[in-house]
Amino acid sequence: MTSTQAGRRPAIHMIDTEADRLTELALGAEDRFPEVSALLLDEIGRATVKTASQIGPDVVRMQSTVAFIDEESGAERSVQLVYPGEADINAGRISILTLIGAALIGLREGQSINWPDRSGKRRRLRIQSVSH
């Protein structure tokens, strides 16, 4: 296994209507948040896109509450993934236009992803639970 393959991201799933809306959001945010926009567009591009009824209850989608762990630090967090206008970090609602938001979308319970934090350091985030 090469070092590139070791960093391979897990398969993800998205609802078709959310993928369309998130694409528009990411394209509109390219000037303000170029890194997050590029990462989110990449995630949308590699996702298996399905109708809402075809997405399992264990998949992170918009409005999901997600409990996850940073495997390096052991820090556990629970957040709700929301659109930018609904974000309120004090209430635990994080925008899809954040690095963590873009990392979580489409993952299933038990999956992990290597993802950059704001300092550029790679973190391994593991999904513990998803609720809607």
Side-chain angles (χ1 to χ4, degrees), residues 3 11 15 22-24 27 33 38 44-45 49 55 60 66 68 70-71 76 91-92 100-102 110 117 122-123:
S3 59
I15 297 172
L22 294 177
T23 298
E24 290 176 21
L27 290 172
F33 309 111
I44 295 165
V49 179
I55 298 286
V60 178
V66 186
F68 66 96
D70 178 328
E71 292 186 340
E76 296 183 37
I100 290 178
D117 64 16
R122 305 285 298 177
R123 299 289 218 194

Side-chain angles (χ1 to χ4, degrees), residues 14-91:
M14 286 189 189
I15 297 172
D16 52 3
T17 54
E18 285 184 355
D20 291 344
R21 184 169 177 194
L22 294 177
T23 298
E24 290 176 21
L25 259 178
L27 290 172
E30 280 180 312
D31 290 340
R32 291 175 297 146
F33 309 111
E35 180 183 20
V36 173
S37 176
L39 289 168
L40 183 56
L41 287 169
D42 188 44
E43 290 298 274
I44 295 165
R46 71 184 196 84
T48 299
V49 179
K50 301 178 178 185
T51 64
S53 65
Q54 295 172 312
I55 298 286
D58 64 338
V59 174
V60 178
R61 54 188 154 201
M62 295 306 297
Q63 308 303 324
S64 293
T65 298
V66 186
F68 66 96
I69 187 167
D70 178 328
E71 292 186 340
E72 181 178 320
S73 69
E76 296 183 37
R77 288 186 66 189
S78 181
V79 297
Q80 183 181 24
L81 188 58
V82 298
Y83 291 100
E86 303 166 328
D88 179 350
I89 195 68
N90 294 324

